[in-house]
């Protein structure tokens, strides 16, 4: 593979460089292979990024070296890349606004991957036609296991949460985080604020903590999480982001945040494996899964439910 190439991506001219650079030393996965993955996964990834400001995490010298989060569009951003200037309350850099990259087309994905952007993180709200942030159109809960708990315990908690969502008439959709845990989503109609969505998710987490105190915790104190799954309801705060579906993760291998079926979650919950954990997927696995099953989160793009009244 040549070190530098110029490519045409749907009418956009892009220069790609250092394609042979190894970003994942354990597997030998190169930047060129990451660009190739994002190019092939784009048809199912882009709908989940559309109209959402993207926070990127970059590893210019590979996953064993330093990384950095990037919110603002970087210097040299092509003029065809869509951006959105949005308020930045509580910015650690004392900025009143941030100019976010809006990743709505394949060329933008390829451009970001060429910058060694591995991880894509998005909020649960979108930017409207006037350039303003909206109420959330998704509820998310993040399932974060405290050692020695792992994804098996996350599957068990996901099933419990799924029952609560079913009882409320809310279809829910699980995915792996691509790291240690999982996330679950519900499609919303935008009638509730992020505070209201957070409060609803917190109520579910607290209920499960009361009912399953040895398995679930809803509080953020890390010291109390050992062997339990933290249901992080706070990811619904408008200022927070969650790893996007189909995003690569910067682990030792190029794992992916992967939508999964409820059958797979049930199988994971029954697993007794501790060395080879269930629901671990890398870039090759995910491309094969999408070829066979399409986007398991596709219904989420069209579903819009009102948040139930607190009860």
């Amino acid at each position: 593979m040549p070190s530098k190439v110029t490519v045409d991506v749907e009418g956009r001219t892009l220069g790609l460089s250092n394609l042979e650079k190894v970003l994942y030393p354990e597997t030998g996965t190169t930047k060129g292979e990451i660009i190739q993955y994002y190019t092939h996964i784009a048809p199912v990834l882009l709908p989940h990024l559309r109209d959402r400001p993207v926070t990127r995490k970059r590893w210019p010298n590979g996953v064993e070296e330093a990384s950095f989060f990037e919110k603002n569009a970087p210097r040299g951003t092509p003029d065809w890349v869509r951006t959105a200037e949005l308020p930045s309350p509580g910015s650690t850099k004392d900025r009143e606004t941030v100019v976010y990259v809006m990743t709505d087309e394949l060329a933008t994905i390829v451009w970001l991957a060429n910058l060694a952007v591995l991880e894509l993180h998005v909020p649960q709200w979108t930017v409207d036609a006037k350039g303003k942030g909206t109420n959330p159109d998704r509820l998310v809960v993040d399932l974060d296991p405290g050692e020695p708990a792992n994804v098996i315990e996350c599957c068990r908690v996901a099933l419990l949460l799924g029952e609560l969502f079913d009882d409320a008439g809310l279809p829910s959709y699980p995915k792996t985080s691509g790291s240690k845990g999982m996330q679950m989503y519900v499609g919303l109609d935008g009638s509730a604020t992020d505070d209201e969505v957070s409060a609803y998710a917190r109520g579910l987490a607290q209920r499960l903590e009361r009912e399953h105190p040895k398995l679930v915790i809803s509080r953020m104190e890390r010291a109390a999480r050992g062997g339990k799954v933290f249901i992080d309801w706070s990811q619904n705060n408008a200022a927070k982001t969650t790893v996007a579906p189909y995003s690569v993760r910067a682990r030792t291998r190029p794992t992916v945040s992967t939508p999964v079926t409820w059958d797979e979650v049930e199988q994971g919950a029954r697993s007794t494996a501790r060395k080879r954990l269930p629901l671990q997927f890398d870039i090759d696995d995910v491309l094969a899964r999408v070829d066979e099953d399409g986007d398991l989160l596709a219904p989420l793009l069209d579903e819009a439910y009102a948040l139930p009244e607190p009860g």
Side-chain angles (χ1 to χ4, degrees), residues 237-291:
N237 184 297
K240 293 196 174 185
T241 60
T242 305
V243 66
Y246 303 108
S247 173
V248 178
R249 302 307 305 270
R251 310 291 290 172
T252 56
R253 297 167 50 245
T255 54
V256 175
S257 182
T258 309
V260 292
T261 67
W262 280 112
D263 283 345
E264 288 176 311
V265 175
E266 290 176 357
Q267 291 170 15
R270 294 194 298 268
S271 175
T272 58
R274 290 290 161 176
K275 290 186 178 180
R276 186 174 178 81
L277 294 173
L279 304 185
Q280 308 298 304
F281 306 106
D282 64 18
I283 54 177
D284 293 328
D285 297 326
V286 171
L287 290 173
R289 286 170 64 89
V290 170
D291 281 346

Side-chain angles (χ1 to χ4, degrees), residues 131-145:
K132 305 295 183 181
T134 65
N135 280 342
D137 64 344
R138 291 182 178 182
L139 177 155
V140 67
V141 286
D142 183 69
L143 306 181
D144 183 11

Side-chain angles (χ1 to χ4, degrees), residues 57-223:
K57 197 168 185 182
R58 295 171 60 177
W59 277 263
N61 296 305
V63 299
E64 294 182 353
E65 303 297 331
S67 65
F68 60 95
F69 273 104
E70 191 171 57
K71 290 181 179 288
N72 262 299
R75 186 176 303 173
T77 297
D79 58 9
W80 47 262
V81 171
R82 180 186 167 201
T83 59
E85 186 170 2
L86 298 165
S88 182
S91 170
T92 58
K93 298 184 178 180
D94 295 324
R95 292 170 174 158
E96 292 186 0
T97 62
V98 170
V99 179
Y100 287 94
V101 170
M102 306 295 290
T103 309
D104 292 348
E105 60 175 301
L106 174 59
T108 304
I109 287 280
V110 174
W111 168 68
L112 290 175
N114 187 57
L115 296 177
V117 171
L118 297 182
E119 296 187 2
L120 306 168
H121 297 252
V122 293
Q124 308 314 311
W125 49 270
T126 60
V127 176
D128 65 18
K130 296 180 179 180
K132 305 295 183 181
T134 65
N135 280 342
D137 64 344
R138 291 182 178 182
L139 177 155
V140 67
V141 286
D142 183 69
L143 306 181
D144 183 11
E147 293 183 353
N150 56 42
V151 72
I152 296 172
E153 284 77 15
C154 288
C155 286
R156 294 169 184 167
V157 174
L159 292 173
L160 296 172
L161 271 171
E163 290 179 2
L164 296 186
F165 285 130
D166 285 346
D167 290 345
L170 300 173
S172 57
Y173 300 90
K175 73 175 177 69
T176 71
S177 68
S179 182
K180 297 178 181 180
M182 297 176 66
Q183 287 94 31
M184 294 173 61
Y185 292 93
V186 171
L188 300 178
D189 64 4
S191 60
T193 67
D194 65 306
D195 286 341
E196 291 169 333
V197 177
S198 293
Y200 181 79
R202 183 179 189 177
L204 297 181
Q206 291 174 331
R207 174 178 170 180
L208 288 184
E209 182 179 27
R210 289 192 302 270
E211 295 175 353
H212 305 274
K214 294 183 178 181
L215 178 61
V216 174
I217 186 168
S218 66
R219 294 166 286 119
M220 295 187 180
E221 303 96 290
R222 288 195 173 274

